[in-house]
Amino acid sequence: DRPVGADLVRLLAACALAAPSKSHLQQADIIDVRDPVRRAAIHKLVPGMPWMADAPALLVFCANGRRFKRLFERRGLPFANDHLDGFFNPVVDTSLVMMNFIHAAGATGLVGCPISMIRNLPQRLAEILELPERVVPVAGLCLGYPMYTREVVPRMALTATLHLDRFDATDDDIAVDEFDRRVVASRTAMLPSTTAAPRAWSDERAQQYATPQRADWGRFVREAGFDLG
């Protein structure tokens, strides 16, 4: 419940936006959502995440393809690269900016929880944030000071994710099975004996994505003005 001031967020944003940018195009923007009415409206889009309502700060990281295209309009020039790469580049820029923000926040004692679920109802979110054409939300970020020490979240072994000279998926299934065992063992050690046995990572992820999600995302992006051809 410790507040996160707007001045600190502004400082962290300056650090974050110093991230590498494709061709120095600077196609990432951050919205610091302070208005309680807008925050409540955003939270209604993802009611399964109650911590969004309590977080001291809520940010939305946006891919901005508008500013660069506007340079051509002001010069009366055709926008020759209006295709999938024109969407991909702002999204990558925005991802780098959000990661930079998380690292900078960590240096000040803050922790963050990225939220991709804000894209579940992108048109409604765009209305709440008054996003113009060619600006789309990539992810939200709840920000605050931790109430307790967090456990390190495990990751898959480098034998699966670090490749030498060429992509090699030969042992990918073995790596997933090994990771499942490690996750179950880690969770078992932290749980009381009366708690049901924890599930494997692959079982959880398979269940999570067993039903369609954000099937209208491509339509929203196209309606926002991006050509994905």
Side-chain angles (χ1 to χ4, degrees):
D1 58 359
R2 181 178 166 187
V4 177
D7 287 346
L8 177 56
V9 170
R10 184 177 178 84
L11 174 63
L12 297 175
C15 295
L17 290 161
S21 171
K22 189 266 184 282
S23 296
H24 199 39
L25 298 181
Q26 303 180 75
Q27 298 185 94
D29 287 7
I30 306 170
I31 301 176
D32 181 8
V33 186
R34 296 275 168 174
D35 175 32
V37 175
R38 293 182 198 263
R39 281 201 54 166
I42 294 173
H43 183 233
K44 284 183 179 179
L45 304 181
V46 283
M49 293 188 169
W51 53 87
M52 281 186 64
D54 300 329
L58 173 63
L59 310 174
V60 178
F61 291 75
C62 297
N64 184 348
R66 177 184 182 278
R67 186 180 297 118
F68 180 49
K69 186 172 184 289
R70 178 67 180 148
L71 298 181
F72 289 80
E73 294 173 355
R74 293 174 62 188
R75 287 159 176 76
L77 299 173
F79 191 55
N81 288 286
D82 196 7
H83 44 66
L84 179 58
D85 204 48
F87 172 69
F88 188 77
N89 289 331
V91 170
V92 172
D93 267 17
T94 305
S95 302
L96 293 172
V97 165
M98 184 169 69
M99 193 70 255
N100 244 27
F101 194 104
I102 292 171
H103 277 303
T108 69
L110 290 163
V111 293
C113 177
I115 302 174
S116 65
M117 287 183 68
I118 64 168
R119 299 198 308 273
N120 284 5
L121 297 170
Q123 186 56 54
R124 179 64 187 127
L125 181 64
E127 293 168 357
I128 295 169
L129 298 178
E130 301 181 34
L131 301 182
E133 187 177 58
R134 297 182 73 89
V135 175
V136 299
V138 172
L141 182 69
C142 286
L143 198 65
Y145 293 94
M147 296 175 63
Y148 50 84
T149 302
R150 301 179 305 157
E151 297 291 333
V152 175
V153 179
R155 289 291 189 267
M156 205 166 292
L158 290 177
T159 53
T161 53
L162 177 62
H163 305 268
L164 179 61
D165 293 329
R166 65 176 189 83
F167 194 95
D168 183 5
T170 304
D171 296 328
D172 214 45
D173 290 346
I174 295 174
V176 170
D177 292 342
E178 183 276 332
F179 185 61
D180 277 342
R181 289 191 292 270
R182 189 151 41 95
V183 168
V184 169
S186 175
R187 292 175 175 176
T188 300
M190 292 188 295
L191 294 173
S193 58
T194 56
T195 305
R199 301 176 63 200
W201 170 83
S202 61
D203 290 335
E204 288 182 337
R205 300 290 75 79
Q207 181 182 22
Q208 178 183 357
Y209 287 95
T211 55
Q213 296 184 18
R214 303 182 195 124
D216 64 342
W217 175 245
R219 177 186 58 79
F220 168 77
V221 170
R222 289 184 179 90
E223 291 179 353
F226 286 98
D227 186 341
L228 304 183

